[in-house]
């Protein structure tokens, strides 16, 4: 393994490219436009891997991220976040450069944009399909029709359709759970489509969560998908049922700095500022990461019974299986699969390939 | 307020300097050396505020952070983290430049350092005074004496004393709780001192958590303190009993991007990548931050009943009191006090003073 001196995010390019290829083929199979979300990797290079796999349009979660990817030559960008009016200046600049799509969920946002936008943009109405995070409930027909009417009157807001992130799929704990939630999302969307007295060919529907996009088998009534996490997956996705642990494309290599035989624990350099504080519960115990066996190419299969049991700012405490504890020595390196790769990637800021090559984020 | 376009970490310099002054005076009152931990702010400028208050020695949690502050002219630096042997090259460079103190908790670490260090460093033995994170239990007299003997034989490892971070004080929920834990820490340390058959004047004891340093009244047997969080405090410290909410020196200003009357919630631009996923439980509900009323200088008192109820990568969902919900409009800004200021500061990377001046981190 390349020389590790501090917590280092390893990326397995083969797994990542296979995850990309699988989702590309799934979109093709279901005749869906594929507009992957870039928030997980935030990397120009991984963007190129997507481009090589045929991707032409992308999704991002901030104006800053949109500007970065516009500079990388992406020309069809959806900012999948309720439009932030305080960034209208940057939005105007972006709209000159690329085919920009915004999420506009409120008449007051639409009215302000109508006054302040310098050039036309496309807009999605965001739908709340059960996650209760952002967007209009699919049952709010009056609110949705009111927005569509505003867009029809507007010379700068060109209505494109609906966007939804069914984040409640994260509560799933099996493929069956995911498919049940996915079906309820489709039902809500298709009920809305029936209720709207319009030709459904004039607008599109885009949905965007990794669990449903990974395990859904029916995409009736859907035109586009925009998952993000699938490029790396992580332990949370494995627990949800979206992927196998062998599909996880990143791990954090952490130096071992101390050993505690009485507790069968080791201390590692790798804490909340590297992993984030996200955890999954297994057997009633919070797990902040799972240790994988080391391998020449980074890591191999999970080291059963060995997990990240505690995190403070820079410290990690790993609970070890008896066999692993005996092997781990101060000065060695352990590789830890992250609970939430989006946050871990954002915190670590760059990727290390097995070749030693580094890939940066914006 | 200065123009906010995205999540922005506001810093109230007056509160921060008052927090510093209070701890400086407390250390003087108890005849303690004050070696504040820089991991919370990670800022050269705030380091200068500490220097102006008379601070001469500092504590950090990584070799990288030590190198940064060495460049800022700090010459007495303790790396309060079990020595990471994989950074011995950087440690050797630092040891040439500054009076460096390392934490060495294991014979194997000491033996490797004996071979690989190019010049002498000071060493603390870290004590586990009840937190069960890192360090030797105070009852492990044999292990401690073995380490001291190694240091006595060494020409590069100059034994300085003991260091402890009683992180279990974070379980306190009142000043009485903090003082009870603080007393048990002192008891453990003083029992160890009695058990060691040595003159206690030849070594020093440094302890470092913000709750005990803020609310402890007895420091018998202690020579130095190294708290870090106290410069900003946060909601977790207020819940522990270390501070009042009016002592919290930072807040995150976040644009309001959507409103949900049915749920009396607003969506803000401000998520896990700005706040971290740390939460406190109040009335059985996870709170990721508390909203404070806006003010010309940043924020004023807490907006009762209005709190950050959910976080995803960039999204925050704020549950509002009826009165506040009516006031909050899309395009406005809310100020949110963070649960854990160390992580929030690390994520946001720079501070905005009420004057509009920006202060960066390393």
């Amino acid at each position: 393994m390349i020389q590790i001196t501090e917590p280092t995010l390893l990326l397995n390019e083969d797994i990542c490219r296979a995850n990309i290829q699988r989702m590309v083929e799934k979109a093709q199979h279901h005749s869906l436009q594929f507009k992957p979300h870039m928030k997980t990797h935030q990397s120009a290079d991984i963007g190129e891997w997507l481009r090589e796999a045929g991707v032409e349009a992308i999704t991002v979660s901030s104006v800053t991220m949109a500007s970065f990817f516009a500079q990388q030559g992406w020309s069809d960008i959806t900012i999948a976040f309720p439009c932030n009016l305080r960034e209208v200046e940057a939005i105007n600049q972006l709209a000159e450069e690329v085919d920009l799509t915004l999420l506009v969920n409120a008449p007051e946002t639409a009215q302000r944009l109508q006054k302040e936008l310098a050039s036309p943009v496309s807009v999605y109405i965001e739908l709340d399909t059960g996650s209760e995070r952002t967007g209009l409930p699919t049952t709010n027909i009056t609110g949705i029709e009111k927005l569509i009417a505003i867009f029809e009157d507007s010379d700068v807001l060109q209505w494109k359709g609906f966007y939804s992130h069914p984040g409640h799929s994260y509560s799933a704990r099996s493929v069956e759970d995911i498919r049940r939630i996915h079906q309820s999302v489709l039902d809500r969307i298709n009920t809305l489509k029936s209720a709207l007295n319009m030709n459904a060919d004039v607008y599109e529907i885009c949905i965007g969560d990794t669990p449903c996009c990974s395990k859904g088998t029916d995409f009736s009534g859907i035109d586009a998908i925009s998952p993000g996490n699938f490029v790396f997956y992580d332990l949370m996705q494995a627990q949800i049922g979206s992927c196998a642990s062998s599909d996880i494309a990143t791990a954090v290599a952490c130096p071992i700095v101390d050993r505690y035989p009485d507790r069968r624990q080791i201390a590692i350099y790798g804490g909340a500022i590297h992993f984030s504080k996200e955890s999954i519960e297994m057997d009633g115990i919070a797990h902040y990461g799972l240790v994988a066996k080391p391998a020449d190419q980074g890591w191999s299969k999970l080291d059963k019974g060995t997990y990240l049991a505690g995190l403070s700012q820079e410290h990690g405490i790993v609970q070890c299986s008896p066999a692993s504890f005996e092997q781990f020595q101060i000065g060695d390196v352990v590789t830890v699969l992250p609970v939430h790769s989006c946050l871990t990637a954002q915190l670590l800021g760059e990727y290390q390939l097995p070749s030693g090559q580094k890939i940066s984020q914006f």
Side-chain angles (χ1 to χ4, degrees), chain A:
Chain A
M1 192 188 285
I2 32 82
Q3 186 60 30
I4 300 294
T5 57
E6 57 185 0
T8 304
L9 185 59
L10 308 180
L11 174 60
N12 184 313
E13 181 174 345
D14 292 343
I15 297 177
C16 182
R17 284 190 185 259
N19 291 342
I20 290 170
Q21 190 55 34
R22 204 180 314 117
M23 198 61 84
V24 164
E25 286 169 12
K26 180 153 196 180
Q28 283 169 348
H29 177 74
H30 292 279
S31 304
L32 299 164
Q33 195 192 356
F34 182 38
K35 307 198 272 192
H37 207 307
M38 311 300 253
K39 77 180 176 69
T40 301
H41 60 80
Q42 302 187 38
S43 154
D45 294 290
I46 299 173
E48 293 310 307
W49 301 354
L50 287 159
R51 189 135 44 193
E52 287 166 25
V55 170
E56 291 177 350
I58 61 168
T59 305
V60 299
S61 48
S62 69
V63 176
T64 310
M65 215 183 290
S67 302
F68 171 75
F69 284 107
Q71 285 162 22
Q72 307 303 319
W74 292 95
S75 59
D76 182 337
I77 303 178
T78 298
I79 303 177
F81 193 89
C83 180
N84 176 16
L85 292 170
R86 291 185 160 251
E87 291 181 294
V88 78
E89 199 176 316
I91 291 169
N92 270 327
Q93 194 171 332
L94 262 172
E96 275 183 28
E97 297 163 8
V98 303
D99 177 0
L100 186 66
T101 304
L102 303 177
L103 265 48
V104 178
N105 304 338
E108 53 267 47
T109 305
Q111 284 145 8
R112 278 275 302 276
L113 288 173
Q114 175 64 34
K115 279 188 217 150
E116 298 181 17
L117 282 181
S119 50
V121 300
S122 298
V123 293
Y124 278 133
I125 296 170
E126 187 182 11
L127 297 177
D128 174 358
T129 51
S131 71
E132 298 197 344
R133 186 179 72 177
T134 42
L136 284 84
T138 48
T139 49
N140 184 1
I141 311 293
T142 315
I144 291 166
E145 287 181 333
K146 186 173 167 188
L147 274 171
I148 294 171
I150 293 173
F151 300 146
E152 280 174 349
D153 279 347
S154 170
D155 53 344
V156 290
L157 300 168
Q158 300 171 337
W159 184 54
K160 187 173 183 175
F162 298 100
Y163 183 91
S164 187
H165 175 75
H168 54 307
S169 63
Y170 279 59
S171 67
R173 288 295 174 271
S174 67
V175 174
E176 293 66 39
D177 277 359
I178 295 171
R179 290 192 179 140
R180 187 180 44 73
I181 292 166
H182 179 61
Q183 192 54 53
S184 87
V185 169
L186 293 194
D187 290 347
R188 288 179 192 227
I189 288 171
N190 289 316
T191 302
L192 167 66
K193 289 176 82 166
S194 303
L196 293 174
N197 194 15
M198 348 179 24
N199 179 355
D201 292 344
V202 305
Y203 61 86
E204 67 170 52
I205 310 270
C206 180
I207 61 170
D209 64 310
T210 282
C212 291
C213 293
S214 298
K215 295 298 173 187
T217 52
D218 175 14
F219 289 84
S220 315
I222 306 297
D223 304 289
I225 56 172
S226 65
N229 179 283
F230 75 96
V231 292
F232 298 155
Y233 289 115
D234 53 33
L235 294 175
M236 194 181 286
Q237 294 294 337
Q239 190 181 51
I240 289 167
S242 305
C243 69
S245 61
S246 55
D247 297 324
I248 300 174
T250 61
V252 186
C254 298
I256 298 175
V257 295
D258 218 351
R259 293 175 90 243
Y260 304 100
D262 293 350
R263 302 181 248 144
R264 218 198 297 135
Q265 291 180 335
I266 56 170
I268 61 172
Y269 180 16
I273 64 166
H274 310 105
F275 287 97
S276 93
K277 273 274 197 167
E278 200 99 58
S279 64
I280 51 172
E281 212 174 277
M282 294 170 67
D283 302 325
I285 297 166
H287 289 57
Y288 296 91
L290 294 180
V291 172
K293 299 219 179 241
D296 280 350
Q297 293 302 307
W299 68 95
S300 62
K301 64 181 181 179
L302 288 175
D303 181 352
K304 207 170 155 54
T306 303
Y307 62 94
L308 193 48
L311 287 175
S312 38
Q313 186 163 337
E314 274 97 355
H315 296 75
I317 296 295
V318 174
Q319 187 66 51
C320 304
S321 69
S324 290
F325 184 76
E326 289 312 312
Q327 280 170 12
F328 292 147
Q329 300 302 324
I330 294 172
D332 288 353
V333 164
V334 288
T335 46
V336 184
L337 300 189
V339 168
H340 191 168
S341 60
C342 307
L343 299 185
T344 302
Q346 212 271 341
L347 286 165
L348 285 162
E350 68 174 15
Y351 308 94
Q352 174 94 56
L353 300 183
S355 63
Q357 189 199 334
K358 289 193 176 180
I359 286 182
S360 65
Q361 292 181 17
F362 77 78

